[in-house]
Amino acid sequence: MQASRGRLFMKIALINAPWESKSFFQSIPWLPIGIVYVGTVLEQNGFQVQVLDAAAKRWSHGQVVTWLKQVSPDVVGLSALTLPFLSLVDLVRAIKAWNPRVIIVLGHYFATMEADRIIRKHGDFVDFCVRGEGENTFLALCQWLDRHPGKEPDGIHGITYRSTTGRVISTPDAPLIVDLDTIPFPNRSLVDHAYKWAIGGFVLPRTRFTTMISSRGCPFKCTYCACSRFARQRWRPRSPENIVAELAIVAEQGYTDVNFVDDNFTLRKDRVLETCRRIKQEGIDINWHVDGRVDHAWADMFAAMHGAGCRLIWLGFESTSQRVLDIYDKKTRVDMFDRAIRNVRRAGIEIIVGLFMVGAPTETLDEIRHTIEYAVRSDIDLPVLNILDVYSGIQLWDDAIARGWMRDDDIVDVEVGGTMRKAERWETLTKLVDVSKTPSERAEIHRLVAEARRTLFSLRRMNALVHGAMRVLRSPYLRGIAADVVSRLPSTIKTLASFRD
């Protein structure tokens, strides 16, 4: 990925498209680090790059097209995820209506998992899908398009497109980037948006927030997750030196909070400890937040993390039924849960977000009730409880089809932009309970989850709330959060009300 110092090439626009989602948590934007990495590589190789986070700005499709008219790009690259895919198709149609000659390229998870069907069904508007990691593949594609206008790509791995004869072409997969230290640090100035850190929907206005990634991929095969297929079940870390060098730059740029968006930040204890040692050695003063697993919950590691600035950890519990955890192929045990929570608390990490989901294949109502009860009663600051979604690219999707519960080409009703429309099932998410449970079971599951969400800040969680209040008194970080929340009382009331929706 060496920078080219030649002429400026064609113009590239990269867009994180509007989600048009009613989910409150999805309405709180994070820096789309993936397209910023891609934009940085393109920029360093001579291309004129503009990046738009239309989701963060809450722009309409019309506003995105107006922006594109001002930028006048030759190529538009867009992130494609499952939930907002149908809305993305509408945006792509609007872009092509404005300029049929602009080249549309989709990337990210959904464009990787469903590249062939995307091109078959939407190839009149989508010109290419980039499969897998985008830095090298999208750069190679743009270089080809710049040097060979009008000609089909030759020798580029990891792309899917429609040939001039109408045939769908999928080239061999591109190799994974093994040495992540070779990727340039993302140029965050490419994105014009002031991101704020938020916890459980409470936006903290005095923060300046960004995202980082210290590793890619995952060695596990959880049946509800697409990461193992996307990254071919390989975990690739950045070196502690490389991580800390970027973190130092981020701190110098005035950011107060960083969320590491790794799937497995805590996978290797020695790497975490060395990273923390270097953060302290360099005197970097910044709050950072990570995801973790309950089987990677070493007390000394958590203590080192807290000492280096870690303030929040997301822990994936999923279910309190060992049978369900085994269905998820999670490779964790229920008896690890309490120990993980205790070790985080003893280390002093201020906030635990616990991730739970219900609605697994064959999961009983009693198992669901037990999981919900644990989520509500345990010493977790914010339990996040969801009903399981399945989508193309995960094992549970394949299993549901194999069981005869659904077909990937089923015609389903989907809400897009406030209106209902017909779509094929592969183009959207499916609540597994909608195809695997009886109507009465589905209704009871939805009732249980809604009731649990209403109790998050109620007397039912009094013990956890009292413990949380004591931690606020001891922690300057939490006291600052409390001051922010209290100072924005109308917004706070609105957020609390959202938990009852």
Side-chain angles (χ1 to χ4, degrees):
M1 289 184 223
Q2 294 297 315
S4 169
R5 297 188 178 275
R7 65 184 176 84
L8 290 177
F9 300 158
M10 59 188 181
K11 297 179 182 178
I12 314 293
L14 301 175
I15 301 174
N16 185 34
W19 277 60
E20 296 190 343
S21 169
K22 292 183 178 179
S23 168
F24 185 81
F25 290 101
Q26 289 160 356
S27 70
I28 299 169
W30 290 11
L31 176 77
I33 195 74
I35 62 173
V36 177
Y37 267 119
V38 171
T40 301
V41 170
L42 290 169
E43 187 178 56
Q44 291 192 3
N45 282 272
F47 289 95
Q48 303 175 67
V49 180
Q50 298 284 335
V51 179
L52 171 67
D53 190 351
K57 293 180 180 295
R58 294 182 174 85
W59 278 9
S60 67
H61 292 170
Q63 288 172 301
V64 173
V65 173
T66 298
W67 178 83
L68 286 171
K69 290 177 181 178
Q70 297 168 351
V71 173
S72 190
D74 303 290
V75 176
V76 177
L78 304 107
S79 291
L81 297 171
T82 310
L83 177 59
F85 175 68
L86 291 168
S87 175
L88 180 66
V89 170
D90 289 346
L91 175 59
V92 168
R93 289 174 182 268
I95 295 170
K96 282 287 193 177
W98 158 63
N99 182 0
R101 295 180 303 280
V102 72
I103 298 169
I104 300 292
V105 184
L106 303 188
H108 215 301
Y109 274 104
F110 195 67
T112 298
M113 302 302 169
E114 286 291 358
D116 187 86
R117 278 195 278 209
I118 289 172
I119 296 299
R120 288 186 188 281
K121 184 168 183 177
H122 304 291
D124 290 343
F125 307 97
V126 177
D127 297 291
F128 296 94
C129 285
V130 167
R131 307 191 315 274
E133 294 171 321
E135 289 90 352
N136 291 337
T137 303
F138 194 51
L139 171 62
L141 177 60
C142 289
Q143 288 172 332
W144 175 273
L145 295 171
D146 186 73
R147 296 167 184 167
H148 308 281
K151 294 186 178 180
E152 290 187 20
D154 181 42
I156 301 175
H157 286 190
I159 61 173
T160 300
Y161 63 97
R162 184 184 289 173
S163 72
T164 54
T165 62
R167 190 163 62 98
V168 175
I169 306 293
S170 284
T171 66
D173 290 340
L176 294 171
I177 302 172
V178 177
D179 185 358
L180 301 186
D181 288 2
T182 63
I183 304 174
F185 295 158
N187 177 10
R188 291 171 173 81
S189 67
L190 285 171
V191 183
D192 177 24
H193 188 79
Y195 298 91
K196 302 297 180 182
W197 179 231
I199 301 172
F202 297 98
V203 179
L204 309 180
R206 292 184 291 180
T207 59
R208 189 169 179 226
F209 167 62
T210 191
T211 55
M212 277 183 62
I213 187 162
S214 79
S215 66
R216 293 185 181 182
C218 179
F220 299 98
K221 297 187 295 184
C222 299
T223 57
Y224 57 80
C225 179
C227 179
S228 60
R229 291 190 188 179
F230 186 84
R232 302 169 210 169
Q233 212 179 331
R234 290 190 61 184
W235 181 74
R236 294 154 293 140
R238 293 169 62 185
S239 68
E241 301 94 318
N242 189 258
I243 297 165
V244 174
E246 182 183 350
L247 194 62
I249 293 171
V250 166
E252 289 171 3
Q253 292 172 339
Y255 290 97
T256 62
D257 290 81
V258 173
N259 200 90
F260 285 94
V261 294
D262 305 35
D263 292 289
N264 278 290
F265 183 89
T266 61
L267 182 66
R268 216 177 72 196
K269 179 181 174 181
D270 63 329
R271 186 187 77 112
V272 175
L273 291 175
E274 178 61 14
T275 300
C276 293
R277 186 189 70 80
R278 288 176 176 271
I279 291 172
K280 293 187 72 174
Q281 182 182 61
E282 296 298 323
I284 299 171
D285 182 15
I286 197 166
N287 304 311
W288 48 279
H289 322 289
V290 301
D291 279 26
R293 286 173 55 97
V294 297
D295 55 342
H296 299 150
W298 303 282
D300 58 336
M301 181 188 72
F302 287 149
M305 289 166 58
H306 182 250
C310 181
R311 304 292 175 225
L312 178 149
I313 186 165
W314 310 70
L315 289 176
F317 299 93
E318 321 312 346
S319 174
T320 57
S321 164
Q322 190 62 52
R323 189 183 72 85
V324 172
L325 288 180
D326 293 342
I327 290 173
Y328 292 151
D329 202 13
K330 182 73 178 179
K331 306 299 186 190
T332 57
R333 300 191 314 272
V334 174
D335 61 16
M336 296 173 173
F337 291 5
D338 289 343
R339 180 178 62 88
I341 295 171
R342 283 196 305 269
N343 285 347
V344 174
R345 292 302 183 207
R346 288 169 181 168
I349 295 175
E350 282 86 346
I351 299 172
I352 300 175
V353 179
L355 305 176
F356 299 87
M357 58 187 175
V358 299
T362 74
E363 185 174 16
T364 67
L365 289 174
D366 282 344
E367 287 171 323
I368 290 172
R369 292 187 185 100
H370 194 275
T371 292
I372 290 174
E373 185 65 19
Y374 182 86
V376 170
R377 294 290 189 185
S378 60
D379 189 16
I380 294 171
D381 299 289
L382 182 64
V384 178
L385 185 64
N386 290 307
I387 298 175
L388 175 65
D389 288 309
V390 294
Y391 49 92
S392 177
I394 69 171
Q395 185 60 48
L396 286 177
W397 170 274
D398 297 338
D399 293 346
I401 292 173
R403 288 172 180 264
W405 288 342
M406 65 185 199
R407 293 169 51 95
D408 51 10
D409 60 354
D410 285 339
I411 302 301
V412 295
D413 293 315
V414 185
E415 183 178 353
V416 183
T419 61
M420 300 301 296
R421 70 171 66 171
K422 302 291 185 181
E424 293 181 85
R425 191 180 296 279
W426 66 268
E427 296 177 290
T428 188
L429 302 175
T430 294
K431 294 287 182 192
L432 189 59
V433 298
D434 288 346
V435 296
S436 65
K437 305 294 185 185
T438 66
S440 61
E441 288 173 328
R442 288 198 299 271
E444 178 63 7
I445 291 168
H446 282 279
R447 188 193 68 79
L448 289 169
V449 170
E451 180 184 0
R453 289 173 176 166
R454 286 192 293 269
T455 67
L456 291 183
F457 299 99
S458 72
L459 293 178
R460 187 177 171 191
R461 295 196 74 232
M462 180 56 68
N463 190 49
L465 295 175
V466 169
H467 286 163
M470 297 300 293
R471 285 190 290 272
V472 168
L473 295 176
R474 294 192 298 266
S475 166
Y477 176 73
L478 291 178
R479 288 200 299 272
I481 290 175
D484 266 352
V485 169
V486 171
S487 69
R488 305 175 73 243
L489 192 57
S491 177
T492 299
I493 293 172
K494 180 180 178 182
T495 300
L496 290 171
S498 72
F499 287 99
R500 297 181 173 271
D501 292 341

